[in-house]
């Protein structure tokens, strides 16, 4: 396993990590969740990603039980949560001080840990002054309940605003952002945030490296029952990502993966990890074999030469152009 600093922060994250969205407490049994965590940890993965909204809190409950059971040395792993969607009533959504404090306490209980290593504002909240959120995050750090805080899917401008507030009041600024990043979805990471990496040392924990499984190539032959795209309630996801164009691109990428002695998901994951502004690629898996295959993507990293990357680029045809901004 390779470890990278989380941007300019001192803490190190494994370049591959494990997330629990749609799987823990929902699609998969608790036994499979346990096996996924065991396989991850034994492969050197040291970061487990979670959020209060995943399976309405059940994902954190399941992960908490597994952490209790394994009883790994607390210094050997990082666990996260995210605050934003907590419920339907007033004060159960967003990033007010009340929300952030209560959500953190609830996540600590569900995960059965004394502190969260990483805590994310899951989305920006236009109804809360940014000062209120930054002060709340700073308080949680001072109280030892979280160690690093960051954002998810905030614009570069919103991140800089939060950073500016932190600097103005001598508070701890956001350390990391969690954006979507994969072969089909590149603008934020490669363009919009590009000045933030050098400028404020932003770390990134990127999500959906396989575009929800589409980049595994398995949808070329239709949608089978036991896949994410077949799940009820995820029609919006299917419409966004399971397009004819994307399926055609995966078919064109397959020979490159095969030439390198790898599988398509391995190529897609290694491609994300090849970007040095990615601190960690958060993997998702509904089966242990998928996770094992995906972890082996690391072996592909040295084989992604400039020539190979150029061939991939010629297929993707979506390299972000600076003129767009
Ligand atoms: P991916 O894009 O990698 O999708 C993972 C899914 O793809 C798996 O659950 C599985 O679904 C399928 N899959 C994985 N590996 C293979 C394989 N080798 N062959 C075939 N199919 C495969 O990642 P996720 O979308 O799950 O995102 C990863 C993590 O990122 C999440 O768990 C979460 O922690 C985080 N995240 C954060 C968000 C945010 O807003 N901050 C939003 C979304 C995710 P199946 O078997 O069901 O088809």
């Amino acid at each position: 396993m390779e470890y990278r600093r989380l941007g300019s922060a001192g803490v190190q994250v494994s370049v591959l990590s494990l997330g629990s969205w749609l799987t823990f407490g929902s699609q998969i049994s608790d036994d499979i969740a346990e096996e996924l965590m065991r396989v991850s940890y034994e492969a050197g993965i040291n970061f487990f990603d979670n959020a209060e909204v995943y399976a309405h809190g059940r994902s954190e409950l399941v992960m908490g039980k597994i952490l209790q059971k394994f009883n790994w040395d607390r210094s050997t792993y990082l666990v996260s949560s995210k605050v934003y969607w907590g419920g339907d009533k007033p004060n159960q959504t967003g990033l007010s001080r009340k929300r952030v404090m209560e959500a953190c306490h609830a996540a600590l209980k569900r995960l059965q840990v004394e502190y969260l290593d990483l805590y994310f504002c899951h989305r920006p909240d236009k109804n809360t002054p940014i000062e209120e959120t930054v002060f709340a995050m700073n308080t949680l750090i001072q109280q030892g309940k979280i160690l690093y805080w960051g954002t998810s899917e905030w614009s570069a401008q919103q991140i800089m605003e939060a950073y500016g507030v932190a600097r103005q009041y001598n508070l701890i600024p956001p350390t990391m952002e969690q954006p979507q990043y994969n072969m089909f979805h590149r603008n934020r990471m490669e363009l919009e945030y590009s000045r933030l990496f050098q400028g404020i040392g932003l770390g990134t924990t990127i999500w959906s490296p396989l575009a929800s499984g589409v980049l595994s190539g398995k949808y070329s032959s239709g949608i089978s029952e036991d896949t994410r795209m077949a799940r009820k309630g995820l029609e919006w996801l299917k419409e966004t990502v399971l397009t004819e164009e994307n399926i055609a691109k995966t078919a064109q990428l397959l020979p490159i993966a095969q030439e390198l002695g790898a599988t398509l998901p391995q190529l897609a994951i290694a491609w994300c990890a090849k970007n040095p502004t990615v601190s960690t690629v958060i993997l998702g898996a509904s089966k242990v074999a998928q996770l094992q295959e995906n972890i082996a993507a690391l072996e592909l990293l040295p084989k992604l030469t400039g020539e190979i990357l150029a061939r991939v680029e010629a297929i993707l045809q979506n390299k972000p152009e600076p003129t767009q901004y």
Side-chain angles (χ1 to χ4, degrees):
M1 184 56 63
E2 177 191 333
Y3 298 89
R4 294 183 184 173
R5 280 175 63 189
L6 189 54
S8 60
V11 72
Q12 295 188 43
V13 282
S14 47
V15 69
L16 301 182
S17 43
L18 180 70
S20 58
W21 180 50
L22 299 175
T23 50
F24 283 46
S26 174
Q27 184 187 4
I28 62 174
S29 70
D30 295 359
D31 286 346
I32 292 185
E34 183 178 317
E35 195 57 12
L36 291 175
M37 288 195 51
R38 190 185 64 75
V39 167
S40 297
Y41 189 80
E42 286 176 1
I45 284 177
N46 75 351
F47 168 42
F48 299 97
D49 186 60
N50 221 319
E52 61 174 351
V53 71
Y54 294 169
H56 306 290
R58 284 195 309 279
S59 171
E60 290 181 334
L61 283 174
V62 170
M63 193 175 274
K65 271 190 203 147
I66 298 168
L67 289 173
Q68 272 298 106
K69 178 170 173 184
F70 286 145
N71 197 24
W72 297 320
D73 183 332
R74 187 64 182 87
S75 64
T76 61
Y77 69 89
L78 296 95
V79 66
S80 74
S81 182
K82 310 187 195 85
V83 49
Y84 191 93
W85 295 285
D88 299 332
K89 299 215 163 86
N91 300 316
Q92 289 185 325
T93 306
L95 302 173
S96 69
R97 181 178 299 111
K98 178 173 171 63
R99 182 81 259 284
V100 167
M101 290 293 169
E102 289 172 351
C104 179
H105 293 158
L108 289 172
K109 268 197 196 135
R110 285 190 295 266
L111 284 162
Q112 303 187 53
V113 289
E114 283 176 15
Y115 57 90
L116 302 169
D117 299 275
L118 312 183
Y119 199 38
F120 295 89
C121 298
H122 213 154
R123 291 294 180 269
D125 176 9
K126 61 179 180 359
N127 296 317
T128 300
I130 187 67
E131 286 82 0
E132 184 171 336
T133 305
V134 176
F135 267 94
M137 285 293 175
N138 192 73
T139 302
L140 286 173
I141 293 181
Q142 301 299 346
Q143 292 176 340
K145 290 172 186 162
I146 66 172
L147 303 187
Y148 299 88
W149 78 275
T151 56
S152 180
E153 295 298 343
W154 285 32
S155 69
Q157 190 184 341
Q158 288 163 331
I159 296 170
M160 283 314 294
E161 247 178 80
Y163 193 85
V165 167
R167 282 286 173 254
Q168 183 182 355
Y169 295 102
N170 250 332
L171 308 173
I172 296 172
T175 299
M176 67 279 166
E177 155 66 36
Q178 185 166 129
Q180 180 177 177
Y181 184 55
N182 55 55
M183 284 176 164
F184 300 146
H185 194 100
R186 306 171 58 177
N187 277 17
R188 278 233 146 120
M189 274 299 287
E190 294 185 30
L191 205 56
E192 189 185 336
Y193 294 160
S194 53
R195 291 201 190 151
L196 306 191
F197 300 127
Q198 285 280 327
I200 63 169
L202 189 72
T204 59
T205 64
I206 65 109
W207 60 268
S208 281
L210 296 180
S212 274
V214 175
L215 277 162
S216 72
K218 66 184 175 187
Y219 294 105
S220 303
S221 47
I223 305 175
S224 69
E225 279 281 295
D226 64 338
T227 60
R228 184 176 291 184
M229 293 302 149
R231 290 185 63 189
K232 282 213 176 74
L234 292 181
E235 292 76 15
W236 60 272
L237 186 61
K238 198 164 91 180
E239 275 166 32
T240 322
V241 81
L242 196 61
T243 61
E244 277 181 25
E245 188 190 349
N246 284 352
I247 292 175
K249 282 180 182 174
T250 59
Q252 285 178 276
L253 289 164
L254 182 61
I256 300 183
Q258 286 170 335
E259 201 183 304
L260 298 171
T263 64
L264 195 50
Q266 289 171 338
L267 176 64
I269 288 163
W271 181 91
C272 292
K274 191 76 184 174
N275 182 338
T277 63
V278 168
S279 314
T280 183
V281 177
I282 313 178
L283 304 175
S286 69
K287 298 180 178 64
V288 176
Q290 290 175 350
L291 179 66
Q292 284 162 332
E293 179 182 354
N294 298 350
I295 291 173
L298 283 181
E299 291 162 29
L300 198 57
L301 271 176
K303 296 188 194 167
L304 292 188
T305 59
E307 187 248 324
I308 295 286
L309 292 173
R311 282 169 60 195
V312 168
E313 209 65 83
I315 293 168
L316 295 180
Q317 295 283 334
N318 61 359
K319 195 172 172 57
E321 293 298 335
T323 49
Q324 289 171 349
Y325 283 86

